[in-house]
Amino acid sequence: MLIANSASRRVSASAAVRGGDYECPGCHEPVVLKRGRVKIAHFSHQKNGLCVRQEEPETAEHLSGKWQIQQQFNGDLEVYLSVISQRPDILCRRANRLIAIEFQCSALSTSRLEERTDGYRKLGIEVVWLLGKKYRDRFKKASGAHPFVVFTQRDGWLLRFWRVDCECLEVWKNLQVDWLNRLCYRSNCLVAGQWRETGWIQVRHTARERQLLERQITIGLKTRNRRFLGWQQFCYWRNSLLQVIPDVCWTTRVIPPVLGTSIVIWRRLLLAQLDANWSHQGIKERQLWRWSQQVTELTNGAASGSSAVLSTQYALAIALMADLEANGQVIRKHHRWFKRSSAS
């Protein structure tokens, strides 16, 4: 941590002196000032101490990044919020708004992320998650980003990173995923107060991507991968097979990263659910909503979350129904969908 209390006053580690009496603002236990060649000056708890942030050991990247972010956005470092027992890395005040900035470098479970975000919301505080190098490197190769994606009207779905190496904010905006669930985006960096575009990874829907996904499914089932077996079992109970993928699943629509897996697999699972439930009464909108959430939970996506995430998942389900209708497989009447053979 970069801030501690001394005689009831907040003291920055950069201004602290060795041998002084300092305590953690959260747990009020003694902390020790440390200065070294790898990490910037910071305070550290004693071993086996209990604290609200003790669960996340601070790396050199995290310590340096917090300091850089504070300098960039002119906020307050590590203000302890006793009501929710949380301490944001930086707390900024903008007009009548409070914004908590969290610089996340280490692994964080989805449940813990939601818990911390909900804590800030209870106090009416907006929260911005900035991700570190490990996340940036991992998300370049694969997805898994869905817990951190946010939606804005201007830039669509996006991820935010803090680059300690160049002391700048980097934003991946207009996020999409391809059939293999790889992230595609435009990247921009805020340098000296100016936004600069630094890259563009485009979506490709080719025969090669299709073959690669089909191969992934085959290998996943042969090696008895738990996720693939779960999806296969879901299909099997509905008289379908995961690896038998109808053409309607291979959509070229714009797909945001909120599903946790390939849109092709997600559509295959939802289609299996639909095929098992067609009747003369048709399928109602609320059923489609519930099934789209069920399938997203199965694919380990962001099934719970903001209204933007939930509405996007339902919009993707509606898009599947629209494609089925365009193919002449279903017809829509009075807010319900009917299979062509069952339509009346």
Side-chain angles (χ1 to χ4, degrees):
M1 73 178 72
L2 300 179
I3 300 293
N5 286 347
S6 179
S8 300
R9 297 180 61 185
R10 285 166 51 87
V11 178
S12 168
S14 60
V17 296
R18 290 188 182 277
D21 293 326
Y22 304 105
E23 67 176 34
C24 172
C27 64
H28 303 292
E29 291 294 319
V31 292
V32 179
L33 175 66
K34 293 186 176 181
R35 283 195 178 97
R37 296 182 179 180
V38 177
K39 297 182 179 181
I40 64 173
H42 64 283
F43 297 104
S44 177
H45 286 82
Q46 298 178 356
K47 288 186 178 180
N48 302 320
L50 298 177
C51 184
V52 63
R53 294 297 293 272
Q54 194 76 347
E55 62 189 82
E56 293 182 21
E58 297 216 71
T59 62
E61 179 192 19
H62 190 239
L63 289 167
S64 298
K66 284 195 297 185
W67 183 257
Q68 293 171 0
I69 296 166
Q70 189 270 338
Q71 296 294 306
Q72 176 76 26
F73 297 106
N74 193 29
D76 296 321
L77 278 166
E78 300 173 348
V79 176
Y80 182 66
L81 306 173
S82 58
V83 176
I84 57 174
S85 298
Q86 290 180 214
R87 185 172 58 228
D89 291 328
I90 296 95
L91 188 64
C92 297
R93 293 169 173 82
R94 297 291 184 270
N96 296 323
R97 300 159 56 207
L98 284 177
I99 304 172
I101 300 178
E102 290 281 13
F103 180 41
Q104 193 64 36
C105 298
S106 58
L108 184 68
S109 67
T110 302
S111 60
R112 187 73 181 110
L113 169 68
E114 292 176 349
E115 180 184 341
R116 285 166 60 177
T117 300
D118 289 343
Y120 293 126
R121 287 173 178 164
K122 288 177 183 177
L123 299 183
I125 299 174
E126 299 176 40
V127 59
V128 174
W129 291 90
L130 303 183
L131 305 177
K133 185 178 184 300
K134 287 184 178 180
Y135 283 97
R136 184 175 180 272
D137 292 344
R138 178 157 61 93
F139 292 165
K140 279 186 174 181
K141 299 176 182 177
S143 189
H146 53 271
F148 292 101
V149 297
V150 294
F151 181 79
T152 66
Q153 291 294 335
R154 187 181 67 178
D155 296 322
W157 294 95
L158 56 81
L159 286 165
R160 300 182 179 101
F161 302 88
W162 184 260
R163 299 279 303 276
V164 171
D165 56 343
C166 54
E167 300 187 26
C168 71
L169 174 66
E170 181 178 21
V171 177
W172 293 359
K173 63 181 184 179
N174 304 128
L175 287 170
Q176 304 177 46
V177 288
D178 63 9
W179 287 339
L180 296 167
N181 206 34
R182 296 176 300 198
L183 281 175
C184 306
Y185 53 86
R186 289 180 180 271
S187 63
N188 291 262
C189 286
L190 182 62
V191 180
Q194 299 292 324
W195 285 104
R196 301 176 184 174
E197 185 166 320
T198 54
W200 184 17
I201 298 179
Q202 295 178 284
V203 174
R204 292 188 301 172
H205 295 120
T206 67
R208 174 172 171 75
E209 275 68 36
R210 181 165 181 159
Q211 291 169 359
L212 286 173
L213 180 59
E214 290 172 339
R215 187 165 178 264
Q216 280 185 13
I217 294 172
T218 300
I219 293 174
L221 293 174
K222 282 186 176 180
T223 58
R224 303 188 64 78
N225 178 279
R226 186 171 63 179
R227 294 184 77 199
F228 285 92
L229 287 179
W231 299 337
Q232 179 71 299
Q233 188 176 51
F234 181 89
C235 292
Y236 185 75
W237 285 346
R238 291 158 180 80
N239 298 315
S240 300
L241 292 174
L242 176 66
Q243 63 269 40
V244 180
I245 303 176
D247 287 341
V248 73
C249 296
W250 300 94
T251 179
T252 56
R253 292 175 180 267
V254 174
I255 307 300
V258 296
L259 300 177
T261 191
S262 166
I263 181 61
V264 178
I265 293 176
W266 188 86
R267 278 194 165 202
R268 180 67 191 97
L269 297 173
L270 184 54
L271 201 58
Q273 179 73 6
L274 294 171
D275 287 341
N277 286 278
W278 287 116
S279 72
H280 69 279
Q281 295 181 341
I283 290 175
K284 301 176 183 178
E285 290 179 344
R286 67 173 178 268
Q287 289 177 304
L288 184 64
W289 169 276
R290 185 172 70 252
W291 292 339
S292 68
Q293 303 309 305
Q294 179 185 0
V295 168
T296 306
E297 290 174 3
L298 183 63
T299 59
N300 197 30
S304 61
S306 68
S307 58
V309 169
L310 296 175
S311 61
T312 299
Q313 291 164 0
Y314 183 57
L316 293 174
I318 292 290
L320 172 60
M321 303 307 287
D323 289 346
L324 290 171
E325 190 172 359
N327 292 343
Q329 296 174 257
V330 304
I331 186 171
R332 189 172 187 179
K333 291 183 177 180
H334 310 299
H335 305 290
R336 299 188 186 196
W337 291 272
F338 298 86
K339 216 171 182 181
R340 274 289 180 179
S341 59
S342 303
S344 58

